[in-house]
């Protein structure tokens, strides 16, 4: 069945560090891939999506490129800020009757 | 204004009491969802609704039921709440298979 794997449970960085959060998926065809961010006490918020091979999604300095060859959609940001501290979820959709499959989430902690 | 609302935001109930969580959206989205989120467990799908009176079980439906009598409103009901249903509950909606989900702010339910 469809699934998403996020490798890192937690990432700790200092401000201005480069961020990578790994996301790999398992699904047939071309699912839509999403990144969401969740701040404490709030619901997840949509960051961006991609739905074709080699398509890049981006928002607020974050970006990810859909790679069907490696079944990946890794989240990157060149220079993180303390305000980026949150939980980041990779998700897959476009299949399976409107269901969305979420990864387990990655807690990002950015120290000033 | 594109928004998902949830009421109440906080709720404390005793074991065995009935619980009603309400969700509304102002975007005329056909598809709506109920999730629960426990520490370290990410988002677990309880129910999905494809439109009025068209609901389907998610991954953890046991102990829950739903009602959708109007497109903009989706309720989650716990008949005889249990302590292990203490959690944060999120409602979400979306308009299509490749579209993003809009999440509500969540309801923090404590069952004593």
């Amino acid at each position: 069945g469809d699934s998403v794997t996020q490798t890192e449970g937690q990432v700790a960085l200092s401000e201005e560090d480069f961020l990578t959060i790994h996301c790999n998926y398992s699904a047939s065809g071309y699912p839509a891939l999403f990144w969401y961010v969740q701040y404490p006490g709030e619901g997840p918020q949509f960051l961006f999506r991609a739905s074709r091979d080699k398509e890049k999604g981006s928002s607020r300095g974050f970006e990810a490129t859909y790679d069907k060859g490696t079944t990946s959609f890794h989240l990157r940001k060149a220079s993180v800020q303390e305000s980026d501290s949150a939980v980041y979820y990779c998700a897959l959709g476009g299949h399976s009757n409107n269901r969305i499959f979420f990864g387990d989430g990655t807690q990002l902690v950015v120290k000033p | 204004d594109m928004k998902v609302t949830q009421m109440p935001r906080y709720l404390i109930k005793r074991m065995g009491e009935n619980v009603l969580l309400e969700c509304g959206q102002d975007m005329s989205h056909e598809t709506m969802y109920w999730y629960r989120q426990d520490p370290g467990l990410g988002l677990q799908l309880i129910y999905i609704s494809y439109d009025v009176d068209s609901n389907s079980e998610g991954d953890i439906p046991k102990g829950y039921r739903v009602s959708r009598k109007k497109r903009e409103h989706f309720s989650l009901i716990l008949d005889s709440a249990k302590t292990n249903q203490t959690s944060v509950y999120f409602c979400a909606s979306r308009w299509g298979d490749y579209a993003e989900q809009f999440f509500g702010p969540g309801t923090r339910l404590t069952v004593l």
Side-chain angles (χ1 to χ4, degrees), chain A residues 30-32 34 36 38 41-44 46 49 51 89 93-95 97-100 102 104, chain B residues 9 31 33 35 37 42-43 45 48 50 58-59 90 94 96-101 103-105:
Chain A
Y30 284 90
F34 305 86
Y36 288 82
Q38 185 176 25
E42 299 182 8
F46 170 72
R49 120 190 84 230
S51 53
Y89 288 97
H95 272 209
N97 233 6
N98 257 313
R99 286 199 57 168
I100 302 284
F102 285 88
D104 290 338
Chain B
R9 293 294 315 277
T31 310
Y33 307 76
Y35 295 91
Q37 185 176 50
L43 292 158
L45 179 65
I48 180 171
Y50 300 103
D59 298 324
F90 289 102
R94 72 199 282 242
D97 223 12
Y98 280 76
E100 70 273 25
Q101 286 179 308
F103 281 84

Side-chain angles (χ1 to χ4, degrees), chain A residues 98, chain B residues 27-31 93-100 102:
Chain A
N98 257 313
Chain B
M27 299 166 278
S28 295
H29 288 170
E30 290 182 346
T31 310
S93 72
R94 72 199 282 242
W95 65 265
D97 223 12
Y98 280 76
E100 70 273 25
F102 290 80

Side-chain angles (χ1 to χ4, degrees), chain A residues 13-103:
Chain A
L13 296 172
S14 300
E15 280 195 325
E16 300 183 12
D17 281 352
F18 188 93
L19 168 71
T20 301
I21 297 176
H22 294 94
C23 171
N24 288 89
Y25 71 90
S26 173
S28 58
Y30 284 90
L33 299 174
F34 305 86
W35 276 102
Y36 288 82
V37 59
Q38 185 176 25
Y39 299 101
E42 299 182 8
Q45 299 174 21
F46 170 72
L47 257 184
F48 56 81
R49 120 190 84 230
S51 53
R52 299 185 306 274
D53 192 22
K54 303 295 183 270
E55 180 180 359
K56 182 160 76 173
S58 63
S59 176
R60 309 185 212 174
F62 293 91
E63 62 179 43
T65 300
Y66 192 129
D67 190 331
K68 184 166 173 60
T70 58
T71 60
S72 66
F73 193 55
H74 304 319
L75 182 69
R76 305 184 200 278
K77 187 176 186 184
S79 176
V80 295
Q81 303 302 311
E82 189 178 5
S83 58
D84 293 327
S85 297
V87 178
Y88 292 82
Y89 288 97
C90 183
L92 175 158
H95 272 209
S96 301
N97 233 6
N98 257 313
R99 286 199 57 168
I100 302 284
F101 295 88
F102 285 88

Side-chain angles (χ1 to χ4, degrees), chain B residues 5-70:
Chain B
T5 57
Q6 291 187 239
M7 292 293 289
R9 293 294 315 277
Y10 301 91
L11 187 61
I12 300 175
K13 287 286 194 178
R14 296 197 178 278
M15 192 168 59
E17 291 184 328
N18 297 332
V19 176
L20 173 64
L21 305 185
E22 308 208 67
C23 173
Q25 49 101 356
D26 61 2
M27 299 166 278
S28 295
H29 288 170
E30 290 182 346
T31 310
M32 297 185 73
Y33 307 76
W34 276 107
Y35 295 91
R36 67 178 279 176
Q37 185 176 50
D38 300 298
L41 290 183
L43 292 158
Q44 299 175 271
L45 179 65
I46 306 171
Y47 267 93
I48 180 171
S49 174
Y50 300 103
D51 210 330
V52 170
D53 284 330
S54 178
N55 307 314
S56 182
E57 294 180 347
D59 298 324
I60 54 162
K62 188 177 178 182
Y64 304 94
R65 60 183 175 95
V66 293
S67 174
R68 193 160 176 211
K69 299 300 182 186
K70 294 182 180 179

